[in-house]
Amino acid sequence: MKRLSIILLLFSIASNNYVYAQEKHQKRLTDLQIVSLIDSLKKSLIRYYIFPDKALSMGKHLSSQLKKGAYKGINDQAKLAYKLESDIKEINYDSHLHVNFEPGLLAPKKLSSDERAMAMKEQLATEIENNFNLQKAEILPGNIGYFLFNGFTGNINEAKPILNGALTFLSGTRALIIDLRNNGGGNSNNRLESYFFKERTHLIDNVNTFNKDTLSIYADPKTTNGLTLLMPIYILTSKNTFSAAEAFSASMQSLKRAIIVGDTTGGGSHLTGTFDLKNGFVAKIPFARPVSTSTFKDWEGVGVVPDIPVKASRALQMAQEVIYKKFLLKAKSDKDKRKIQWAINALIAEQNPLNMNSNSYSKYAGSYSGGIQFYVENNQLLCRNPERGGTDVFKLTPVSNDIFLLDENVQIEFLRDENDIYASLKMLWKDGNVSQRSKE
């Protein structure tokens, strides 16, 4: 992993930190220079491209095009680069594969040890300020854990106490939803998967053509300070889910450790380096990719396909609905069923409340035993409850005909008598208990 990290750092510098200076006047390439350029491109593709057989095919096509005179008379170097890229993509389309004319490429200033230390300190301070992208850990109705984080940090040791604390808080939940809908990736050394397996588990093999190495990546529960979460896992994704977040999603999905809910992810798995072709030309070539360890598939260009496809905006609600249905099937008592149904009702009230009007509400109005009062005002059904002090007014949110969300603990079900008149109600408590009140 260290070797791969060093290579990624080097190519990140090569790709992102160079300053480009466009010369005002560029001389036309000679025929010999064009031959040399194409030879350099062919060699770079064969040496580094992640699919050697396709690299050979692209090289042969370039030679054929050169022999036909396809590059003669192209005086503009940028147009020549575009032509070369178009030709290789005719044989093998890869969105990460590029040929560019970038003259005057200047090496970045080498940082001193003090400057590097200061840059790392500033980066750490920024991540601490952002809580290492760990945004939320909460318990949803029905004892479902919800974990929202938006990026994988490279400061693993510093972030670990916060990560452990969040996951410890969620460790008693019956199911866990991990929200990656706005997670664009980050440091791939951060093995979040380790928290969700009892044993060391093979996740991904990363094939690297730059150093002819294959790196096997594992989830290792020994790295989690004894914290292991074995409840069902649901991962929320969107088109913004990318890179390391996709690797996590794909690994968990392929090992059947998680169900993916949402949109197909962005589709970025290949690592790309920038290689000098001389005379101002560079090739950007993918040099590393993940390969299958079980049913795992490379997601480059296609994304990680969810098990339950749904618009990203509805993914959280859909995951909860799926979980609640499974809970209902496993419920062992009527009380357990009522607790789960309470959570389902709360979800409906929050996400898709029933549209009703004052005429519909009026049939529920009146005083019920214990002094609880229901009345209609401004096209809303309101409640004043002496058991809550009598001064606070609660707005009821409709779940379905006759069932309403009252507050964070109670839902109301209005009941008809034999004359089809609403004469009583049930107070449905979050813990599964039920109490009944008659209309006065």
Side-chain angles (χ1 to χ4, degrees):
M1 181 62 76
K2 288 183 179 178
R3 281 185 293 170
L4 180 59
S5 297
I6 292 170
I7 290 169
L8 295 181
L9 177 61
L10 290 174
F11 280 102
S12 176
I13 292 172
S15 299
N16 301 318
N17 293 336
Y18 278 115
V19 178
Y20 300 107
Q22 178 70 50
E23 297 179 4
K24 292 182 179 179
H25 302 288
Q26 297 296 334
K27 295 180 180 179
R28 174 182 173 182
L29 292 182
T30 66
D31 291 344
L32 185 60
Q33 286 175 319
I34 292 176
V35 170
S36 177
L37 170 63
I38 292 171
D39 184 61
S40 182
L41 177 55
K42 287 164 54 180
K43 287 179 178 177
S44 295
L45 288 169
I46 292 169
R47 173 67 179 84
Y48 301 116
Y49 189 56
I50 49 179
F51 300 112
D53 56 336
K54 294 178 180 178
L56 286 170
S57 297
M58 288 186 286
K60 289 178 181 178
H61 185 60
L62 288 172
S63 296
S64 175
Q65 289 289 85
L66 178 65
K67 191 174 181 179
K68 292 176 182 178
Y71 309 116
K72 270 199 168 188
I74 302 178
N75 298 326
D76 187 310
Q77 285 93 332
K79 289 182 178 178
L80 177 58
Y82 179 79
K83 172 63 174 171
L84 291 170
E85 180 179 321
S86 298
D87 284 349
I88 60 178
K89 285 186 174 180
E90 282 182 6
I91 303 303
N92 174 58
Y93 183 83
D94 186 323
S95 62
H96 285 75
L97 186 57
H98 300 285
V99 180
N100 296 334
F101 178 62
E102 297 176 344
L105 197 63
L106 303 176
K109 175 187 174 184
K110 185 176 181 181
L111 297 177
S112 68
S113 58
D114 288 343
E115 288 173 327
R116 188 179 298 108
M118 179 58 69
M120 293 176 67
K121 184 177 179 180
E122 290 176 355
Q123 175 63 28
L124 176 59
T126 299
E127 292 205 0
I128 290 174
E129 180 71 19
N130 197 36
N131 203 42
F132 298 100
N133 286 312
L134 307 177
Q135 301 298 306
K136 184 181 289 188
E138 67 174 317
I139 311 298
L140 302 177
N143 195 25
I144 297 173
Y146 175 73
F147 184 42
L148 169 65
F149 76 110
N150 294 337
F152 288 80
T153 177
N155 292 297
I156 299 170
N157 292 332
E158 292 82 359
K160 194 170 184 179
I162 298 175
L163 178 61
N164 274 32
L167 293 178
T168 298
F169 171 70
L170 298 169
S171 61
T173 54
R174 296 180 62 186
L176 177 61
I177 297 172
I178 301 175
D179 193 343
L180 303 182
R181 287 177 292 179
N182 290 305
N183 192 313
N187 192 291
S188 60
N189 291 338
N190 193 335
R191 293 266 67 85
L192 180 62
E193 297 96 335
S194 295
Y195 288 90
F196 308 116
F197 293 91
K198 288 191 297 184
E199 299 175 348
R200 190 168 184 265
T201 303
H202 192 184
L203 299 173
I204 303 173
D205 282 335
N206 209 324
V207 176
N208 188 317
T209 58
F210 181 77
N211 57 11
K212 302 298 183 183
D213 188 20
T214 297
L215 179 68
S216 294
I217 300 174
Y218 290 82
D220 189 355
K222 290 182 180 179
T223 65
T224 66
N225 296 340
L227 179 60
T228 302
L229 286 72
L230 299 178
M231 72 284 283
I233 306 293
Y234 294 79
I235 299 172
L236 310 185
T237 58
S238 75
K239 290 178 172 56
N240 297 322
T241 307
F242 200 71
S243 189
E246 293 179 281
F248 173 76
S249 301
S251 299
M252 295 285 283
Q253 182 188 53
S254 67
L255 293 166
K256 302 188 184 304
R257 185 62 191 90
I259 293 173
I260 311 297
V261 183
D263 274 335
T264 299
T265 62
S269 68
H270 295 168
L271 303 177
T272 302
T274 300
F275 301 90
D276 185 13
L277 302 178
K278 306 300 181 185
N279 293 312
F281 291 85
V282 294
K284 295 178 181 179
I285 301 174
F287 68 92
R289 67 185 181 91
V291 298
S292 177
T293 58
S294 55
T295 58
F296 184 91
K297 294 180 180 178
D298 183 352
W299 66 89
E300 176 69 27
V302 296
V304 180
V305 180
D307 301 292
I308 303 175
V310 65
K311 288 183 179 179
S313 59
R314 290 198 65 250
L316 177 56
Q317 179 184 353
M318 177 60 72
Q320 289 175 267
E321 290 175 2
V322 171
I323 293 169
Y324 290 142
K325 287 178 181 178
K326 291 185 177 181
F327 283 178
L328 276 177
L329 291 174
K330 295 180 180 179
K332 296 180 180 179
S333 68
D334 289 341
K335 185 176 181 179
D336 285 341
K337 291 178 181 178
R338 289 195 296 268
K339 288 168 64 176
I340 298 165
Q341 189 61 54
W342 196 100
I344 294 172
N345 291 347
L347 180 64
I348 294 171
E350 178 184 354
Q351 301 290 335
N352 304 106
L354 188 67
N355 187 20
M356 299 179 70
N357 56 43
S358 56
N359 291 330
S360 301
Y361 290 143
S362 59
K363 58 191 176 185
Y364 307 120
S367 296
Y368 293 75
S369 55
I372 188 169
Q373 294 181 325
F374 296 90
Y375 59 99
V376 180
E377 187 176 286
N378 296 326
N379 202 34
Q380 295 177 338
L381 182 61
L382 304 177
C383 171
R384 183 175 285 110
N385 186 0
E387 295 177 1
R388 291 288 298 264
T391 56
D392 293 336
V393 175
F394 298 88
K395 175 188 171 183
L396 279 76
T397 305
V399 176
S400 61
N401 288 328
D402 302 341
I403 298 179
F404 295 79
L405 181 66
L406 177 63
D407 59 27
E408 70 278 7
N409 293 310
V410 180
Q411 296 170 9
I412 301 295
E413 181 180 3
F414 293 97
L415 304 173
R416 304 169 190 254
D417 62 14
E418 63 275 6
N419 297 316
D420 204 29
I421 297 173
Y422 288 93
S424 63
L425 61 80
K426 286 182 181 179
M427 301 182 75
L428 310 174
W429 296 84
K430 188 175 183 179
D431 62 5
N433 287 318
V434 179
S435 55
Q436 193 156 339
R437 305 289 179 92
S438 299
K439 197 170 188 179
E440 294 178 343

